[in-house]
Amino acid sequence: MDTQATGIDASKPHEPVVPLPASTKGSVDRIMLFPSYGRLVPDGSGDWEVNVSGWLFRTRENSKRRRFLMGLSQGLLSPSSVSNASATSLYQERSQGFFAESLRKVSVRIAVVGMAPPPEPPLPQDQLLQQSTASIDRLSMDDKSGAAPKEGIYKLPSTDGSLQALPDYQIDSSADVSTDHADDEANVVELDNTPTTTDEVSALDAVALETHTDKYVWTDVLTDKSGRFVGSLRVPQAHVDRFIKDHVVGPDTSSPADPAQKSPLAVPWLRVRVLAFAPGHLTDVHAFITTGLIGQPGVSLISDIDDTIKDSSIFAGARTAFKIAFMHDAKEIPGMSDCYNLLAVKGVPVHYVSAAPFQLYPPVAKFLRQFAFPEGSVNMRNVLESSAKVKSYKNVLVMGLLNAFPERKFILVGDSGEKDIDIYAAVDQALGGQVLKIFIRNVTRDASKHPELMKRVEQAYAAQAAQATGSTAAVDAASAAKPAKVDLSKWAFFVDPDVILTDATVMEAVTMH
């Protein structure tokens, strides 16, 4: 067997499988997968690197101790909420992850098992594109009928090594969330992000998931002390071609598909199905997720979540923010979903970043689906494994995304309530050639404050320059001179997200790519 063909590194010794620890009565072992992304391997091979991230944990559903601790913590956070049935229900749903037992130093097998089926858009595309006639006009669409432009968010290498767009982009309302069944609310509130999919599991070749063949690409990873696991799989282009052939339908859907007429360009865009399971427990401890493959070059969007697209009131203080996170119905910042969907239709993939702990992923995923945000990777903080402050964590995360796609330009979106201005200034100073535009939502919703925000931007650059030169002098925002070699025209502040859609630099870039 050619190990290179299946993405296995033959130079590394095969690690023995570390099994699940013995279970106790009433316990359930689960895997949660977080939306990630794949990228072209930068060696000209046409292979893809698919990143996988997840959490292995154990719950005891009927534990009296668990119920007691939930009630105690809710009372400490908000004594008056204990008698409120709605607040209590939300708290129990959203706090589940913090009372689960992380399974440490245990093997998890991750695998790419095929191409994902075409996604369903959250709204008919003609409705999505007609929600704002003005926005559609500003997008300079050639087709004013409302039909979706035939542009691909993910791009497939052609035989000559160039990238060809896959047509008919659609928005996946399921990949960001805890279930592929949009009407099954019970699955959304569960901690495991994919319900037991018996049919999908039974359709797999279990033998090929135990021995390396050319059918699937898989490897084993080990959970850390917080139960988290991360890994990447190199998927050869030959596998992708075969996955496409296995899943694509013929151009004439009114008659059975003719295999001779199948073409990669018949699929909407490139998405693979990723499986994670505990070896020896394929049927009962597993999770699936859909991962998009993002080509080079192009335009991508990196977006903060709290107070940028989701009303979280982080700027109002920790106690208020905690109450909103755990006991209030989620609210969208008006217009952000429409804005991102209109960009996604133009071929812009999205990466959501948050400094919130990963245990809050289920309510975040539910929010993204509830308000029909476009799918994308969701990056949340592993508090137990990282002692880095929020600023350092997000700085590393955002720069890591830019480094993963050196040929792509990035739109950065954040808010004025926390450290986003400082973070994005540092990113722009380090990798400014990739930063197309930076949009900061004004959390005060007072446009007269925008000049003050620009002073904060100038101060952030000046502080970066002082740090680089080893200066310990404090930087006075009011008197600091405009930093040299900084393009402040990249920055824009907004209350209404139409500012993003009317930006000439953004529209020119997404139209060109």
Side-chain angles (χ1 to χ4, degrees), residues 122-319:
L123 290 173
Q125 291 192 29
D126 56 347
Q127 291 184 30
L128 173 65
L129 292 174
Q130 291 172 358
Q131 283 182 357
S132 170
T133 302
S135 294
I136 293 173
D137 290 340
R138 287 190 290 270
L139 284 173
S140 303
M141 294 178 63
D142 294 330
D143 181 3
K144 300 297 181 181
S145 67
K150 294 196 173 185
E151 295 189 8
I153 185 169
Y154 302 120
K155 299 184 177 183
L156 184 68
S158 62
T159 54
D160 63 1
S162 62
L163 294 173
Q164 51 184 325
L166 299 177
D168 295 327
Y169 170 77
Q170 292 177 298
I171 298 161
D172 185 356
S173 59
S174 66
D176 295 45
V177 297
S178 51
T179 173
D180 285 333
H181 307 285
D183 297 326
D184 189 352
E185 280 298 314
N187 287 324
V188 178
V189 300
E190 290 293 327
L191 274 176
D192 50 335
N193 72 315
T194 304
T196 301
T197 46
T198 306
D199 290 343
E200 189 166 7
V201 171
S202 62
L204 296 172
D205 183 343
V207 175
L209 288 168
E210 295 293 337
T211 57
H212 288 300
T213 69
D214 62 355
K215 188 162 190 177
Y216 306 130
V217 178
W218 62 264
T219 193
D220 291 338
V221 293
L222 206 62
T223 61
D224 61 22
K225 65 181 181 181
S226 63
R228 287 289 302 270
F229 58 89
V230 294
S232 63
L233 294 162
R234 180 167 179 150
V235 184
Q237 181 59 46
H239 276 64
V240 175
D241 291 341
R242 179 167 54 78
F243 289 155
I244 291 173
K245 183 179 179 182
D246 290 344
H247 288 81
V248 74
V249 297
D252 182 7
T253 56
S254 62
S255 60
D258 179 0
Q261 295 180 357
K262 289 185 178 181
S263 165
L265 294 183
V267 299
W269 42 289
L270 215 53
R271 304 158 73 241
V272 293
R273 199 67 171 148
V274 173
L275 164 71
F277 68 98
H281 297 268
L282 174 59
T283 59
D284 58 321
V285 185
H286 69 266
F288 288 92
I289 202 163
T290 296
T291 300
L293 306 182
I294 305 174
Q296 306 259 20
V299 178
S300 297
L301 169 67
I302 295 177
S303 174
D304 178 50
I305 295 177
D306 291 314
D307 291 322
T308 299
I309 63 173
K310 180 177 177 286
D311 189 353
S312 303
S313 297
I314 302 294
F315 57 89
R319 181 170 287 272

Side-chain angles (χ1 to χ4, degrees), residues 20-32 55-63 66 96 99-103 190-192 194 196 281 283-286:
L20 290 169
S23 60
T24 58
K25 184 178 180 180
S27 66
V28 180
D29 295 338
R30 294 174 171 174
I31 291 176
M32 179 187 295
W55 180 33
L56 176 64
F57 60 97
R58 176 171 290 172
T59 60
R60 293 176 176 82
E61 302 298 336
N62 299 316
S63 167
R66 179 171 175 263
Q96 291 181 70
F99 298 96
E101 176 191 356
S102 295
L103 298 182
E190 290 293 327
L191 274 176
D192 50 335
T194 304
T196 301
H281 297 268
T283 59
D284 58 321
V285 185
H286 69 266

Side-chain angles (χ1 to χ4, degrees), residues 465-513:
Q467 184 178 12
T469 59
S471 172
T472 58
V475 179
D476 185 347
S479 61
K482 183 182 295 185
K485 299 181 181 179
V486 171
D487 183 5
L488 295 180
S489 67
K490 286 184 179 181
W491 292 78
F493 309 100
F494 70 93
V495 175
D496 184 341
D498 270 2
V499 168
I500 301 173
L501 296 176
T502 56
D503 186 84
T505 301
V506 169
M507 290 301 104
E508 180 182 358
V510 299
T511 301
M512 180 175 63
H513 289 286

Side-chain angles (χ1 to χ4, degrees), residues 388-458:
K389 294 181 179 179
V390 170
K391 179 180 174 182
S392 300
Y393 159 77
K394 288 178 112 177
N395 202 326
V396 171
L397 177 59
V398 173
M399 284 204 275
L401 287 168
L402 269 67
N403 284 324
F405 299 98
E407 296 180 46
R408 296 188 74 87
K409 301 291 186 180
F410 284 81
I411 303 165
L412 310 180
V413 186
D415 65 85
S416 64
E418 285 192 289
K419 299 291 185 181
D420 289 345
I421 288 177
D422 303 281
I423 293 165
Y424 289 162
V427 171
D428 183 50
Q429 197 158 45
L431 299 168
Q434 288 183 258
V435 177
L436 182 68
K437 197 80 178 186
I438 302 170
F439 295 97
I440 299 294
R441 176 181 172 261
N442 182 354
V443 298
T444 70
R445 294 179 290 182
D446 180 357
S448 69
K449 301 291 186 181
H450 290 180
E452 295 180 19
L453 292 178
M454 185 56 78
K455 289 182 180 178
R456 281 181 56 187
V457 171
E458 294 178 4

